[in-house]
Amino acid sequence: MRVRRFLTAGAVALCVGVLGAGTASAQLLNTGVGGSTSAGAAGEGVGEGVDVSTATTLTRFGFYLGTPNAATSLKYLIYDATANQLVYSQTQTLAAATADNTLVLSNPFSFALLAGRTYYFGIVANNALDVSYNYVAGTPLSANGLTLDDPNIVFSGFDAPATDLSTAGASIAIQIYGTQASTVPEPGSLLLVSLGMAGAGAVARRRGAAFRRAA
């Protein structure tokens, strides 16, 4: 009984390992550098809306920024517009001043974006900060089930950022990284899984085990 249980668990682990392949963190959306730069005072920030149609595990995001001040602290924000609340924040301190349109990514993390919701990805700093953006025009950018939701919103306050969801006519330049479940395994992966399960079954039959793995 123990032999069959062990082998079945091994086959399941093989399936999960192979079928889960292809979900490494990747760039999911990138607007590129914006055509204009907006100057914000200390404690002022902006947020770019994203409509999510594919469940995503967010691992990193960033903006094209510039600040003349060394040791500027940036606070990355995720505001769930559907739930009407701030759901994530992360603080990062820059080692030196940066030129405008410098891509500055958050530190890696993990956060689940739920399908059917709209999130605002925000940035606010304790010093003056320039943020790259484009004027809203044409069809919103969409990639990998993530669609920009224009226009942008405004955040205020560094220590306790808040927003009233008031909008301005800009699309904030942003990059988003994450993972999304792979639903269709490659043919080679299916063959490997089949062979592994067949081998496990053959060994179990030879030993006369008859135990169904508990859920």
Side-chain angles (χ1 to χ4, degrees):
M1 291 175 68
R2 290 181 179 177
V3 172
R4 177 65 179 274
R5 182 176 184 179
F6 170 78
L7 290 172
T8 305
V12 171
L14 176 62
C15 292
V16 172
V18 173
L19 297 182
T23 58
S25 180
Q27 185 183 99
L28 300 177
L29 187 146
N30 180 14
T31 64
V33 179
S36 302
T37 299
S38 176
E44 294 180 354
V46 293
E48 174 57 45
V50 177
D51 296 326
V52 179
S53 60
T54 299
T56 299
T57 298
L58 184 71
T59 57
R60 211 170 192 183
F61 68 101
F63 302 90
Y64 296 88
L65 309 171
T67 177
N69 302 300
T72 292
S73 292
L74 305 174
K75 187 166 286 186
Y76 293 85
L77 311 167
I78 302 176
Y79 186 90
D80 186 335
T82 306
N84 195 33
Q85 63 179 336
L86 186 67
V87 291
Y88 179 82
S89 69
Q90 175 196 122
T91 301
Q92 177 187 137
T93 301
L94 300 176
T98 62
D100 282 354
N101 297 323
T102 299
L103 175 64
V104 185
L105 293 170
S106 70
N107 293 318
F109 65 101
S110 180
F111 183 86
L113 301 177
L114 303 180
R117 295 204 176 200
T118 296
Y119 298 87
Y120 282 97
F121 294 86
I123 188 74
V124 63
N126 66 341
N127 287 318
L129 187 71
D130 295 337
V131 181
S132 180
Y133 73 95
N134 288 304
Y135 286 111
V136 176
T139 304
L141 176 66
S142 183
N144 299 301
L146 306 175
T147 303
L148 295 189
D149 180 38
D150 297 322
N152 70 288
I153 63 167
V154 177
F155 286 98
S156 60
F158 180 79
D159 293 330
T163 180
D164 58 5
L165 293 181
S166 58
T167 60
S171 176
I172 309 303
I174 188 173
Q175 280 193 17
I176 295 176
Y177 292 78
T179 63
Q180 295 174 330
S182 176
T183 57
V184 181
E186 298 177 358
S189 299
L190 285 175
L191 176 60
L192 181 59
V193 172
S194 299
L195 291 174
M197 295 183 69
V203 173
R205 285 194 296 274
R206 285 199 299 271
R207 298 192 178 187
F211 181 84
R212 186 169 66 87
R213 183 174 180 271

